[in-house]
Every structure is written in C-alpha cells, then in structure tokens.
Amino acid sequence: MDLYIMNCELLATCSALGYLEGGTYHKEPDCLESVKDLIRYLRHEDETRDVRQQLGAAQILQSDLLPILTQHRQDKALFDAVIRLMVNLTQPALLCFGSVPKDPSVRHHFLQVLTYLQTYKEAFASEKAFGVLSETLYELLQLGWEDRQEEDNLLIERILLLVRNILHVPANLEQEKRIDDDASVHDRLLWAIHLSGMDDLLLFLSSSSAEQQWSLHVLEIVSLMFRDQNPEQLAGVGQGRLAQERSTDVAELEVLRQREMAEKRARALQRGNRHSRFGGSYIVQGLKSIGERDVVFHKGLHNLQNYSSDLGKQPRRVPKRRQAAQELSIYRRSVLNVRLFLRDFCSEFLENCYNPLMSAVKDHLLRERAQQHDETYYMWAMAFFMAFNRAAAFRPGFVSETLSVRTFHFVEQNLTNYYEMMLTDRKEAASWARRMHLALKAYQELLATVNEMDACPDETVRESSRIIKNNIFYMMEYRELFLALFRKFDERYHPRSFLRDLVETTHLFLKMLERFCRSRGNLIVQNKRKKRKKKKKVQDQDVAFSHSPGELEAMWPALAEQLLLCAQDPELSVDPIVPFDAASEVPVEEQRVEAMVRIQDCLTAGQASQALALLRSAREVWPEGNVFGPPVISPGEEMQLLKQILSAPLPRQQESVEGDAEEEEEEEEEEELQVVQVSEKEFNFLDYLKRFASSTIVRAYALLLRSYRQNNAHTNHCIAKMLHRLAHDLGMEALLFQLSLFCLFNQLLSDPAAAAYKELVTFAKYILGKFFALAAVNQKAFVELLFWKNTTVVREMTQGYGSLDSGSSSNRAPVWSPEEEAQLQELYLAHKDVEGQDVVETILAHLKAVPRTRKQVIHHLVRMGLADSVKDFQRKGTQIVLWTEDQELELQRLFEEFQDSDDVLGDIMKNITAKRSRARVVDKLLALGLVSERRQLYKKRRKKLAPSCMQNGEESQRDSWQEDPEEEEEHLLEGQSEDEEREEGLPAGQAQGSSSLSAENISQSLRQEGLSAPLLWLQSSLIRAANDREEDGCSQAIPLVPLTEENEDAMENEQFQHLLRKLGIRPPSSGQETFWRIPAKLSSTQLRRVATSLSHRENKEEEGPEPNPGVPGEQSPSEEHRAEAQEATGEEKWRSAPKKRQLLDSDEDEDDDGRRQAAVSGTPRIHRKKRFQIEDEDEDD
C-alpha cells in the first residue's frame, strides 16, 4: 500500500507527530494529540484493518514512534500514549482477525498485516529501544505498593504486553533464510533483551511474591523466548561435544555416505560400454497390461526394477480436508552467545523462579482468574524446564512444585478435555490437537522425571518416585489414556511429531509399568467397568390385582357415594400424601405409574378419601400431559377419571423371589442401566498389553515406521520394541501380516544404509520368517495380507478357521446346524398360532441340544424369513390417557361430520389430532353417548348381488349393508378376563360330558328366549371347524365371526357367553382380539359331540320349521343353518323351501331334485366344502 493512497486525515495526523533530522527527532506541538488521534482511528477501523495497514505502509512505528520512545522518555504523558499506540499496532494478527481467514480477499489483508508485524519486530531488535523499556520498568518496580498508582500498574502491564507482542511475531523463514548457528531476527531480539537487562527484570517478577499478578504475562513471555529451542540441546551448550553427540553425528554421516555410494554403483550399472540408440523392447511375462496380453517394456533391463503401473499417471489430488497435518513447531540452533545466555537464564529460572511462578500460575488457573487457554503456557513450561533439569544436572527439588500426583491428574484431565473437544468442535479441531500435543509433552516429561528419580542416590527421592508410580499405576484412567489416544489418532489433525511423542511416551510408560510389576511381584490396581444393571420390566398382566371386571362394577356405586362426599369436603388436605420421592433411585416416570397403582389400591380397599387426595397431589406433581386430569377439573370429571383408574389393567411390578432361577431375562424384557462399578483386582501386565493388540494401534505404528529415515534412533527403537511385544510376547505375529507393512520391510531390507537400522532389519526378518512358515500350512495367508486383522482373525489364521466356534472361551453364538434349523422351523410353525402362550418360550423349552437365548432364537427366525421383524415378539403394556375438554369437543365434531360415512371410526382416526388407539376412541364415543353400541362404528361395505329371478320374471339388484369381517378384526374391543374351566381337574371324557349336560340346559333356555337361529349358527360353525381339522390335519384357533345382526346380539348376551364358556370356546384376549375363538386343543370328535349336544332337544320337540311365508323361494338364515347342521350330523330332513344362498365356489352343481332323491332314498350324501355369500332379509325394502 503506497503513501499516496493513504487517507487524508490519517496522513495529516501522521505529519503532525514530528520529523527526524539526523539522529534527533523533533516533535510537533500537537504530537500528543496526534498520537491519541491515531489510537482513536485504530479503534474505529473496519474488518480489513485498513488503518493498521496504512500506518504499517507509512512505517510510522520505525520513523516516528520508536524515536519518540527513545528520545522523549521524560515526557510521561507522551510516553504513555506512545506505549498504548505501540501495543495496539503490534498486537497479533490472529487477535485482529479472530482466526486465519478462509476468504482469499480477507486472507490477503491478514498476510499484509503479518508482514508489517515482521518489520516491526526487526525494528525492535535494538538495545536502545529495550533499554528504555527496561529502565522504565525498573523504576516502576522500585515503587512500593503504597506509592504505586493505578497508572503505574497500567504502564507495567502495557510494557509487558508490548514485549509479548514483539516476541509473538512469527519468523519469515523464506525471507530470512537463516541456517543453524546463524543470528536470526528472533536471536537478535533475544540478545537485545539480554543487553538491556530485561531478562533480569523477568526473573525478578517470576520470583517475587509481591508481583504475582504479573505471573501469567511473565510465563507467556518466557515461553515465547524459548519457542525455537530444544531443552536437551540447550542444556549441553558450553560443555564441549559429548561422546554421545559425536557418535550420533558419525552414525548420521555414515548413513549418508552409504546411500551415496549405493547411488553411484546404481548409476555405474546403468551406463553401458557403448551407446545403443535402440535399447529394444521386452515382454514381462505374468504381468498383465490393460488387456489380456502381457506388458511390453520399452526400456532397458536395468530400468525394469523401477517399473510401476503408476508411471505417467496424474497423481490423485487429495482434498484439503483430508490432507495430513503440517508441522508447526520447528526447532533450530541459535547462535552460540544466544544459547549461552538462554542456558544461564534457564538455570537461574529453575533455581529461583520455577516453583514460585508455577505455584502462582496454578492458583490463577484454579481460581479462574486467567484467560481462556492460558493453561497451555503452564503445560509448556512444565515440559520445557523439567526436560532441561533432567538433561542438565537433575535436581528434583527444582521442579518439586509440579512433581506430584495432582499435577498428573491436572494434565490428564486437560488432555482428555482437549481430546473430547477435538471430536466435537470440528471447526477448531486443529487448534485443539495442538493443545493436546502440549499436554502430551507435559505428561511425557512428568513420566521421564519420575523415571529419572529411580536412579537418584537419595533414598527419599526414590521413595517419592515409588509413591507417585503406585498412584498413577493404580488408577485406571492413567492406564487407559494411551489406548484412547491411539484409537482416536487422526492424521488430518495430528502432525507426525504428535505420533512420535505418543509412541515414545507409551514406550516409557510400559517400561516403567513392567519394571514396577517385576519389583512388586503382585500389583493391585483399580478396575472400573460399566455394569449392566438389569431391571425387569413391568409385565402386562396384573400381578397383585386379581379383581374381575364384574367385581369392580359392583364395587363402584359404593365408592362413588364416598367420593362424592369427599369431593364436597373443602377441608380435604393433600399435604400428608406425597406421591413423589425426590431422593429415590426410581425414575420419575416409574414413580408416576406407581402413584396411579396406589390410587387403584386405595379404591379397591375402600379408602375413597385417600384415593382422591392422592389423585390431587399427583396432579400437582405431574401436571404435564394432564395424566391425572387438567389443573381445573370438575368433580364429575374426577369421578369419571377415578372410575377409569379403578377398571384399568395397570402394570404392576412383580416382586423378585430370592434364588429364582429365572433372574436373567432376555434382552427384549430387560431395561439395561449402565452403572460404573469400581473394584480392585490383581494386575497382569500381559493382559494389559493385549489391549494394544489392535489393528488401529498397529496401523499408527506402521505410519510412523514409514519415516524411519527421518526418525531418530530412539523413536525407531520404541516402534520396534512395541511391535516385538505384540509379536513375540503375545504370540501374535499374524497381527503384522499386512501387505503395506511387508512393502515397508522390503524397502528397509533393500536400503543401502540398512546396517544403521539393525534392530528394524532383524525384526523384519523375524516377521517374514514367521509368515512364510505359516503360509506353508495355510495357503489363505497370502489373501489375508490384504487386510488388517484383529485378534480373532489372528487366532483363526494360526489355529485354523472355525476353531473359535468350538472354543469354550469364545463369546460368539454357536452356529445353527441344518438339523437345528429344521427343528426351529417345525416348532415355530406348530406353535405360532397357539393362543395363550409365548411361542419363543415354547421353542426354548424344546431346544435342549445347544443352549440358546431368546435373542438368538428371535434373530434367527427373522434371518430364516419366518418372521418379518424382531418387533413381532415384543410385548406392549397398557396405559391410561385422559381426554381433555378440547379433545372431547374435537371428537364430537369429527363424529358429527363423519357419522353418515361408510367408515366412521376410520375417518375419525385419520383426522383426530391426539393420536390414540381405536379402542380408546370407541370407549370415549360410548362414554359421551354418541353411539349406543360398538357395532355402529364397524366399517360397512356395499355389495351388489347377482341378479336373481323373481316370480314376475324381472331381474332386480339390491344393496345390502353388512359388516366386513376383515375390517372387524381391526377394531380393538374391550378385553374380558378369561374364566378357567370348572372341569379342569376332571378327565377329558367326564369334563366333556358334564359340559354337554349343562350346555343342553342352557341351550334350551336360550331357545325359549328366541335365540334358536344363533344356536344353529354356532352348531354349524362347530361342525365346519371339525370337518376342516379332519381334512387339513392341523389345529389352530378359529374365530367365531357373527355376520348377521341377530348373531351379534347373541354374542353380547351374557347367557349365550356363558354357554360358549361351557362349550370350551375361548373369549377374546384383553386388548388384542375381537372375536371369540374355537381353541386349537379341541379335537374334531369333541367338536362334533358339542355340536350334537345343541340339537338333542330340538329334534325331540320340533319336527321341522315352516317355510318363510314372506318371500317365496327363499328361507331364513336360521333355516339355512338348521339344514346345514342336520345335513352334517346325519339327521338330514328334506325341506321344501330352497335355500337362500348363491353358490360361489363348487366342484359340481346339484339341482333340487337330486338332493330330494338323495334324501328320500337314504343314500349318504358327500359333504363338500363350499363358500357362500349370505344376504340378510331384515334390510329388504
């Protein structure tokens, strides 16, 4: 940005500052006001930081502000304003923009501001500027607290911030192009700090107890001073070259020399004795090209080893979001005099300042008096200075403040927090990963310091080390930390240095843990595991509630009188009865159900006042959903609600019985609550090492092994040691049988400098030897090379495939054999339609060969296609849902709207707002008096009959409305409790005989009441069921579907229902069925005997019904059923009236004369199963 495009007001303000003539700066009279104007302009700059860029382009700081700072220090007001302006101008670009912009245009402005900051840093690299700052800071620190003003404290803070801002500016490596041992801009800045005495002031601020408020500023400045330094290298400065360093340098030079010699030999082999313009072409047999032919190679044979199918191809571009993280921390070796100064500073800092400063910083962090993420400076200082102390002259007393179990816990908590935030905050994942790396370095140095304490000659130091190790090895969190870090390692966010530090820290931890276990013999550690607390679900059937619906109906009038008196009592208090226990471990939802059960118990016990008080208390505790009624409710609505609660089949908790063999229920009937259970156990090092036998962890080690040439010797040793532990100590060599690892081994063995990696080469040969030995036995091992493997696959590779199925230690479910599948299918088909029993329980009772669980049986039924879903076998409970006033009005409106439609209930269910079951809607319609009986809500279907010939010869069609049997099954009617048979204890014949005897009397009574037609319909239904069972050979429950209005009325008659129970016909189950059913347990013989018992008195008293006089040529449904029943039982009698039915499906047609002749001659007639379409006569016009 040029000066000529600078803002006019900004240019005038800069011109009013003054001018530099020779070495003297002459300030203008309005210099102070101009500086304040510049501060004001910076406060109102836009998002591109235009004012900051214009001032940087004009070099105001270099040409005006620094001369004013150095030459006009005596003007206190001007000096303070210049310091304020410098702090604003030099603040980091990240603070100005918030983060690194992604927009290219805004990013350009960000880089421009960063460039100006780098010029500011170079301008400050002078002794004169830091000398003025040091003198001013020294004078301010000489003042006591009673003499120091607020302005003085502000000036101290601004000077520290200015030094922090200057040191924070990153180096421009491309522009400087400095090598090691050369003075960079940062080195010159550090040397200026040293010459000015600023370092001594920093040491004073760190050690003084009266200046602890500046501890975080000082720690930040110190961390920026040493950000490019390596603590181990810094500790060895000035002591001459150690023998270890010399041997390391010699080894590196030897590796480079061997590689260079190998390249020379390769180039010499490539050059022939004479030049050949035609090198020839070759066919590579066994290597296919794009087609079916072999590859044709058009170069010399010496280039064949470098052949690849990827030659000439465009490399695949990796998206930015999937690229590997870049290394941000770069270590360089500064010039010698700077390193000597930094070494002395570290020594003095450790001796006098480390413990008090770290204590003050830790106090600020715990009391939350620090800014966000300031703990990262604390962890950096811990890692750097503890490493320097360990490498220089190890003195545990210098770092005693951070050498405790509390520090381990603090670092572990922050490391875990950073790890979790990296997974949740994806936008800032890279920043969280860098903080995570700092915490890992601090943890590594803590372990290294504790490990160094074991070699200390002082007994007290060794005892302290033993106590610390005993605590960290005892806690499970410290042992699980490395496993979690390896499993969640992401190359996109974590650089290669993080993986290197993680591998080295894990190696150190395992070495310390193994040594500690060997010295102790047995180690007791803490174990935490999530225990599945299985809580039995409440069952659908009532456990302790045994009142029948009839008893409840008889009980209600007396309760209604008591409730009416209690409702009118204004002194009824709800305080003594509390339906909710806040300290209970029972969930709130279950307590609400228990409160409703308590209300029901009070009603059944005759305690009406307590039931009403408990209802009102529960309404205050659980007002949501109006489960216990709305807040404003009338006494009549309360009475109706209590009546619903009294008659509702509420779920009740079954009391557990000690020693019950069925405590472990199936997963579908259990509610699993995970509870952390803490216990102690004896530690086994090999069992802990097995946790690292994972493909994810091995893959991370293989990733670091790829850069074995750039790794130092210690890192390669850590990799080889861990892989050797997995392969040799655990016997899982097959875990490393992976093609990418073998390619890496091939590269390692063919490396010219392989002699420098003896440990890796030896390990590679060991793994390859194991693989070829296994491949000689298992030919599938070559295919297994393509995949990463877990411990299960490793065991199958080595011990044989399928060995886990027969192993006793395996948790895998046993395989179903073909015989077991056939038995399962047979059992399921035989018991799936049997009412009153659980088909899965029945199957489990018959499967005795191999023990199975309910879950295994259900899943295998679905897998075989016998069931559609696992949900088909789940049990559902019932609940009470109260109706609000608005919902009742809506239901009434919908009924009035659709009462003339064909499907009243279906239309209401489609349009109702609050979704409820069909049974609840039907009950509410009956309670509101909108319908008088349930059949009014059945879906009706208009059918057209075939033309029938009348006496006048005309063909007519008529419409008949009747209930659809298929639609009736969808209506959920009220469930009725099933009565047990009185003849249960008698033999089969006696029970059936007594049932027939009593049934005959009941049937005679029903005939006297005019129910002869329903009895004939029941008799014919029993006969048809007996015939079906004889023909099909299988038994299943058959529903009795009444198709006429007369039969429906009979099915709701209490005496007729009593007859059905006497005959053994089962009523519909509660909430799931609609029709009575002929049980599957009744055989065809028993059904015929029962049907015959219904016709004894009829044959004696009646000789034959008269034909219907109303319509010639037709007979009533009762006559039809009577004829069919007599025909099936062998008591056929010819009737003159033809039957009113239309034959739909028949094998042959018989005329009336044929039937009449068969009846006269006594020839037995063959019964054929036919389908009929029955019409009602009651709806004729």
Side-chain angles (χ1 to χ4, degrees):
M1 184 176 294
D2 298 331
L3 263 176
Y4 65 89
I5 63 172
M6 191 174 183
N7 184 273
C8 298
E9 295 182 1
L10 197 59
L11 181 59
T13 305
C14 295
S15 301
L17 291 174
Y19 61 93
L20 184 64
E21 185 178 0
T24 305
Y25 188 86
H26 301 276
K27 65 176 183 176
E28 297 290 343
D30 298 333
C31 182
L32 178 60
E33 284 73 13
S34 299
V35 173
K36 292 181 179 179
D37 288 340
L38 291 177
I39 296 174
R40 192 177 302 109
Y41 289 146
L42 286 172
R43 190 181 300 123
H44 297 288
E45 61 183 352
D46 60 5
E47 64 276 1
T48 62
R49 305 296 182 257
D50 54 342
V51 177
R52 196 176 303 271
Q53 293 189 54
Q54 295 180 37
L55 294 179
Q59 298 184 354
I60 296 299
L61 188 140
Q62 297 93 320
S63 60
D64 294 284
L65 298 183
L66 276 178
I68 293 175
L69 182 71
T70 56
Q71 298 182 20
H72 298 277
R73 176 172 168 266
Q74 65 279 359
D75 191 347
K76 190 175 185 304
L78 181 61
F79 184 83
D80 293 347
V82 170
I83 291 294
R84 286 178 58 194
L85 181 57
M86 283 185 171
V87 170
N88 198 339
L89 282 176
T90 57
Q91 68 178 354
L94 286 174
L95 292 180
C96 296
F97 289 88
S99 62
V100 179
K102 296 182 179 180
D103 187 17
S105 60
V106 183
R107 187 180 180 88
H108 168 73
H109 298 298
F110 174 83
L111 296 176
Q112 195 68 33
V113 171
L114 188 61
T115 303
Y116 294 141
L117 289 175
Q118 291 169 352
T119 59
Y120 296 160
K121 182 175 183 179
E122 188 174 359
F124 265 96
S126 65
E127 180 185 355
K128 186 181 295 185
F130 272 99
V132 174
L133 295 176
S134 299
E135 292 177 7
T136 306
L137 185 59
Y138 176 76
E139 293 174 0
L140 294 173
L141 292 177
Q142 289 296 320
L143 299 175
W145 279 102
E146 63 278 0
D147 300 329
R148 193 180 298 178
Q149 302 296 325
E150 184 65 27
E151 293 80 6
D152 299 332
N153 289 329
L154 288 176
L155 185 57
I156 292 175
E157 185 175 8
R158 286 168 183 160
I159 291 175
L160 293 176
L161 287 176
L162 180 60
V163 176
R164 189 277 312 267
N165 291 345
I166 296 301
L167 289 171
H168 188 275
V169 177
N172 191 350
L173 301 179
E174 296 181 357
Q175 184 177 358
E176 294 185 20
K177 297 181 180 179
R178 300 291 182 177
I179 62 174
D180 289 346
D181 297 324
D182 193 6
S184 62
V185 175
H186 194 74
D187 292 340
R188 289 192 283 119
L189 190 65
L190 292 177
W191 189 247
I193 291 175
H194 174 60
L195 294 179
S196 63
M198 181 67 73
D199 56 338
D200 296 330
L201 294 176
L202 293 175
L203 291 174
F204 171 75
L205 290 172
S206 303
S207 59
S208 176
S209 59
E211 307 293 344
Q212 289 187 357
Q213 58 176 331
W214 318 116
S215 57
L216 283 170
H217 293 291
V218 174
L219 184 61
E220 190 174 357
I221 291 174
V222 172
S223 66
L224 293 173
M225 290 172 58
F226 291 91
R227 65 181 180 185
D228 295 338
Q229 305 299 323
N230 192 330
E232 287 85 359
Q233 294 180 359
L234 200 60
V237 174
Q239 300 177 2
R241 291 180 59 81
L242 301 177
Q244 183 179 2
E245 294 181 356
R246 289 196 297 270
S247 62
T248 303
D249 293 342
V250 169
E252 292 179 356
L253 289 175
E254 181 63 26
V255 168
L256 294 176
R257 191 184 69 85
Q258 291 178 0
R259 288 177 180 163
E260 185 179 5
M261 295 297 296
E263 291 177 359
K264 288 182 179 180
R265 289 194 298 268
R267 286 196 298 268
L269 291 176
Q270 290 179 4
R271 292 194 298 268
N273 296 330
R274 65 183 184 86
H275 174 71
S276 176
R277 190 173 301 274
F278 305 101
S281 297
Y282 303 90
I283 295 178
V284 184
Q285 294 183 357
L287 185 61
K288 298 296 183 182
S289 61
I290 298 178
E292 295 295 330
R293 299 180 180 179
D294 294 334
V295 171
V296 179
F297 189 68
H298 297 284
K299 295 183 179 180
L301 292 177
H302 55 275
N303 294 321
L304 182 59
Q305 60 181 357
N306 298 327
Y307 173 77
S308 174
S309 300
D310 297 330
L311 291 176
K313 294 181 180 179
Q314 185 70 21
R316 187 175 183 179
R317 179 182 173 272
V318 180
K320 183 179 294 186
R321 66 178 182 275
R322 296 183 181 177
Q323 292 178 359
Q326 301 295 327
E327 295 286 349
L328 297 179
S329 58
I330 301 176
Y331 295 106
R332 65 176 300 274
R333 193 164 57 240
S334 301
V335 70
L336 181 59
N337 55 351
V338 175
R339 283 187 288 157
L340 290 173
F341 147 64
L342 293 177
R343 183 203 62 185
D344 296 339
F345 182 89
C346 283
S347 300
E348 294 183 17
F349 186 85
L350 276 172
E351 186 175 358
N352 303 313
C353 309
Y354 180 82
N355 288 333
L357 179 65
M358 298 298 281
S359 176
V361 172
K362 184 68 174 296
D363 183 69
H364 287 330
L365 294 175
L366 294 179
R367 296 178 184 271
E368 297 183 354
R369 291 185 295 183
Q371 295 182 359
Q372 192 177 15
H373 307 314
D374 277 349
E375 71 277 358
T376 56
Y377 297 107
Y378 178 83
M379 287 184 287
W380 174 89
M382 187 191 312
F384 186 88
F385 289 106
M386 292 181 78
F388 182 87
N389 179 56
R390 182 172 48 85
F394 181 68
R395 297 181 182 179
F398 287 173
V399 292
S400 60
E401 174 61 31
T402 56
L403 202 59
S404 61
V405 180
R406 287 186 177 181
T407 310
F408 273 95
H409 177 71
F410 176 79
V411 176
E412 188 267 338
Q413 287 293 319
N414 281 278
L415 185 58
T416 306
N417 181 40
Y418 296 153
Y419 151 72
E420 293 176 352
M421 290 302 298
M422 188 193 69
L423 297 180
T424 55
D425 189 5
R426 287 295 184 181
K427 293 183 179 180
E428 299 295 332
S431 301
W432 291 111
R434 288 194 294 270
R435 300 184 188 107
M436 192 174 170
H437 193 185
L438 283 174
L440 179 63
K441 287 290 294 182
Y443 197 84
Q444 181 183 10
E445 287 305 324
L446 283 173
L447 290 175
T449 304
V450 172
N451 185 48
E452 193 73 21
M453 291 170 63
D454 289 338
C456 187
D458 192 354
E459 178 63 28
T460 58
V461 175
R462 295 199 301 271
E463 181 64 19
S464 300
S465 172
R466 188 190 64 80
I467 293 174
I468 293 175
K469 289 191 295 183
N470 196 9
N471 280 276
I472 62 176
F473 293 153
Y474 175 79
M475 298 298 294
M476 183 179 178
E477 288 78 7
Y478 301 112
R479 301 193 306 271
E480 298 291 327
L481 179 62
F482 301 102
L483 293 168
L485 293 179
F486 270 116
R487 291 193 184 110
K488 296 302 180 181
F489 171 76
D490 196 339
E491 193 179 1
R492 299 173 298 172
Y493 306 118
H494 296 114
R496 197 64 58 91
S497 58
F498 175 85
L499 183 58
R500 181 183 66 247
D501 292 334
L502 179 58
V503 167
E504 293 179 358
T505 309
T506 305
H507 171 77
L508 178 61
F509 184 82
L510 289 177
K511 184 175 68 173
M512 294 172 60
L513 181 58
E514 185 178 17
R515 190 187 306 130
F516 191 76
C517 292
R518 289 177 180 175
S519 62
R520 292 289 298 270
N522 60 338
L523 176 64
I524 303 300
V525 297
Q526 186 187 67
N527 183 37
K528 293 181 181 179
R529 65 187 182 91
K530 290 184 178 180
K531 182 182 178 182
R532 289 183 173 179
K533 184 179 179 181
K534 298 180 179 180
K535 184 177 181 180
K536 297 182 179 180
K537 285 188 176 180
V538 292
Q539 299 178 355
D540 295 340
Q541 294 83 6
D542 294 341
V543 176
F545 192 71
S546 57
H547 294 279
S548 63
E551 296 177 355
L552 295 177
E553 290 292 338
M555 190 185 303
W556 175 247
L559 287 174
E561 296 179 1
Q562 299 180 19
L563 290 172
L564 186 60
L565 295 176
C566 295
Q568 297 174 356
D569 186 7
E571 299 180 356
L572 182 62
S573 175
V574 298
D575 295 334
I577 303 179
V578 180
F580 175 71
D581 186 5
S584 176
E585 297 181 357
V586 180
V588 180
E589 296 296 329
E590 296 186 9
Q591 292 196 37
R592 183 172 65 181
V593 177
E594 292 179 1
M596 194 170 292
V597 173
R598 289 173 58 188
I599 295 174
Q600 191 181 59
D601 293 340
C602 292
L603 291 174
T604 54
Q607 302 173 356
S609 59
Q610 295 185 9
L612 185 59
L614 187 58
L615 176 67
R616 295 177 178 177
S617 301
R619 186 185 306 141
E620 296 180 0
V621 175
W622 293 285
E624 61 276 0
N626 296 334
V627 177
F628 294 93
V632 180
I633 186 172
S634 63
E637 293 177 344
E638 276 187 337
M639 298 278 289
Q640 184 66 23
L641 178 60
L642 289 173
K643 183 177 181 181
Q644 292 183 14
I645 295 176
L646 176 64
S647 60
L650 294 177
R652 294 174 178 265
Q653 184 72 30
Q654 184 178 5
E655 299 180 358
S656 58
V657 182
E658 297 183 359
D660 192 357
E662 298 181 355
E663 288 182 352
E664 297 182 0
E665 294 183 337
E666 294 74 16
E667 292 189 7
E668 287 76 9
E669 299 179 359
E670 294 167 351
E671 181 182 355
E672 298 180 356
L673 303 176
Q674 290 188 349
V675 180
V676 177
Q677 185 180 19
V678 181
S679 60
E680 290 186 346
K681 68 174 184 178
E682 186 175 352
F683 181 74
N684 190 334
F685 181 75
L686 288 180
D687 291 342
Y688 176 69
L689 192 60
K690 290 178 182 177
R691 305 285 301 279
F692 289 88
S694 170
S695 60
T696 305
I697 299 178
V698 175
R699 196 176 305 162
Y701 274 88
L703 178 63
L704 186 60
L705 186 60
R706 293 179 189 173
S707 57
Y708 70 93
R709 294 182 179 179
Q710 290 78 28
N711 298 338
N712 54 39
H714 179 64
T715 303
N716 288 333
H717 167 71
C718 295
I719 299 172
K721 182 63 177 177
M722 173 56 81
L723 298 181
H724 183 266
R725 288 180 187 272
L726 299 178
H728 181 268
D729 298 351
L730 298 181
M732 295 186 181
E733 300 90 352
L735 193 65
L736 306 179
F737 294 168
Q738 217 281 332
L739 194 57
S740 60
L741 265 178
F742 280 18
C743 292
L744 189 58
F745 290 161
N746 183 37
Q747 180 183 352
L748 178 64
L749 296 176
S750 60
D751 195 333
Y757 313 105
K758 293 182 179 179
E759 189 176 18
L760 292 177
V761 170
T762 304
F763 178 74
K765 292 181 179 179
Y766 169 75
I767 294 297
L768 291 174
K770 290 291 185 179
F771 171 75
F772 290 117
L774 178 63
V777 181
N778 183 10
Q779 294 294 329
K780 296 181 181 179
F782 294 100
V783 182
E784 296 283 1
L785 283 176
L786 301 175
F787 310 99
W788 292 99
K789 291 163 279 297
N790 53 23
T791 54
T792 304
V793 179
V794 167
R795 181 177 173 183
E796 287 186 340
M797 284 182 62
T798 55
Q799 300 182 7
Y801 296 99
S803 58
L804 291 181
D805 297 336
S806 58
S808 59
S809 62
S810 175
N811 293 327
R812 180 181 296 180
V815 180
W816 291 79
S817 62
E819 294 78 9
E820 291 176 336
E821 289 185 348
Q823 183 184 8
L824 177 64
Q825 182 175 3
E826 181 181 355
L827 291 173
Y828 178 74
L829 294 177
H831 298 280
K832 68 175 182 177
D833 295 325
V834 178
E835 301 295 335
Q837 67 178 4
D838 190 355
V839 61
V840 181
E841 293 289 348
T842 306
I843 293 175
L844 289 173
H846 289 80
L847 293 177
K848 300 296 185 180
V850 179
R852 305 282 182 179
T853 63
R854 180 185 181 90
K855 181 179 179 180
Q856 293 173 0
V857 171
I858 292 175
H859 281 280
H860 204 70
L861 287 173
V862 175
R863 192 176 298 113
M864 293 175 63
L866 298 176
D868 296 334
S869 174
V870 180
K871 298 180 180 180
D872 297 343
F873 302 95
Q874 294 180 352
R875 300 174 180 175
K876 300 180 181 179
T878 59
Q879 58 181 356
I880 291 181
V881 181
L882 301 182
W883 291 75
T884 63
E885 184 177 357
D886 296 337
Q887 293 172 353
E888 290 180 354
L889 293 176
E890 181 190 13
L891 180 62
Q892 186 174 1
R893 178 182 59 81
L894 291 175
F895 177 78
E896 295 174 355
E897 180 180 355
F898 299 109
Q899 62 181 346
D900 296 331
S901 64
D902 295 348
D903 188 7
V904 181
L905 185 59
D907 293 337
I908 292 177
M909 295 299 296
K910 293 177 183 178
N911 295 275
I912 196 169
T913 304
K915 299 302 180 183
R916 283 179 169 84
S917 64
R918 303 175 73 96
R920 297 299 178 191
V921 175
V922 171
D923 293 340
K924 196 61 182 177
L925 289 174
L926 291 172
L928 294 175
L930 299 177
V931 294
S932 58
E933 51 188 7
R934 299 176 185 272
R935 70 169 64 91
Q936 298 178 9
L937 300 175
Y938 292 168
K939 180 179 179 181
K940 291 182 283 291
R941 183 177 60 187
R942 183 182 297 271
K943 296 181 181 179
K944 294 183 178 182
L945 294 179
S948 59
C949 296
M950 309 299 291
Q951 288 183 355
N952 54 6
E954 298 180 354
E955 294 183 357
S956 63
Q957 293 181 349
R958 63 173 183 168
D959 298 333
S960 174
W961 294 93
Q962 68 179 50
E963 293 81 357
D964 188 0
E966 297 178 357
E967 192 68 27
E968 282 183 1
E969 295 180 1
E970 298 179 0
H971 292 267
L972 299 177
L973 305 179
E974 279 188 322
Q976 299 178 358
S977 60
E978 182 178 359
D979 295 339
E980 297 180 357
E981 295 186 5
R982 297 179 181 179
E983 299 84 3
E984 185 177 358
L986 298 177
Q990 297 180 7
Q992 188 64 38
S994 60
S995 176
S996 302
L997 184 60
S998 58
E1000 184 178 354
N1001 299 329
I1002 297 175
S1003 62
Q1004 179 64 25
S1005 176
L1006 290 174
R1007 288 192 188 91
Q1008 295 176 358
E1009 295 181 5
L1011 296 179
S1012 301
L1015 288 174
L1016 291 175
W1017 164 74
L1018 175 61
Q1019 186 181 18
S1020 62
S1021 299
L1022 294 174
I1023 296 300
R1024 282 197 299 268
N1027 296 334
D1028 292 342
R1029 292 183 180 181
E1030 287 180 353
E1031 295 177 1
D1032 299 340
C1034 61
S1035 300
Q1036 58 181 359
I1038 300 176
L1040 290 175
V1041 183
L1043 299 180
T1044 63
E1045 194 170 324
E1046 186 179 6
N1047 294 341
E1048 287 184 4
D1049 295 338
M1051 293 298 292
E1052 294 181 0
N1053 188 291
E1054 294 183 359
Q1055 191 173 4
F1056 194 84
Q1057 292 179 358
H1058 186 54
L1059 173 64
L1060 294 177
R1061 293 192 184 94
K1062 286 294 182 180
L1063 298 178
I1065 300 175
R1066 185 178 57 79
S1069 60
S1070 174
Q1072 296 183 359
E1073 296 176 354
T1074 303
F1075 305 106
W1076 291 67
R1077 296 177 183 270
I1078 302 174
K1081 61 183 180 180
L1082 294 180
S1083 62
S1084 59
T1085 305
Q1086 293 174 336
L1087 291 175
R1088 292 185 184 278
R1089 185 180 299 114
V1090 170
T1092 306
S1093 67
L1094 296 177
S1095 61
H1096 283 331
R1097 293 292 181 91
E1098 178 191 358
N1099 295 335
K1100 293 179 181 179
E1101 297 177 1
E1102 299 180 7
E1103 295 181 359
E1106 298 179 359
N1108 187 5
V1111 180
E1114 295 186 1
Q1115 69 177 22
S1116 65
S1118 61
E1119 295 175 354
E1120 176 188 353
H1121 295 312
R1122 187 191 312 274
E1124 184 177 355
Q1126 292 176 351
E1127 177 182 305
T1129 54
E1131 302 175 356
E1132 304 177 10
K1133 185 177 291 185
W1134 172 77
R1135 298 291 179 262
S1136 59
K1139 300 187 177 183
K1140 176 201 167 187
R1141 59 190 176 186
Q1142 179 185 1
L1143 188 60
L1144 298 180
D1145 293 334
S1146 177
D1147 295 334
E1148 60 180 12
D1149 296 334
E1150 298 184 36
D1151 56 359
D1152 296 339
D1153 296 336
R1155 286 194 297 267
R1156 188 178 299 109
Q1157 292 177 2
V1160 173
S1161 60
T1163 306
R1165 182 180 167 220
I1166 301 176
H1167 177 76
R1168 300 184 185 275
K1169 186 178 179 181
K1170 303 176 182 179
R1171 291 205 310 241
F1172 300 98
Q1173 183 176 5
I1174 304 173
E1175 295 296 333
D1176 297 336
E1177 298 182 5
D1178 299 335
E1179 299 181 3
D1180 295 344
D1181 296 336

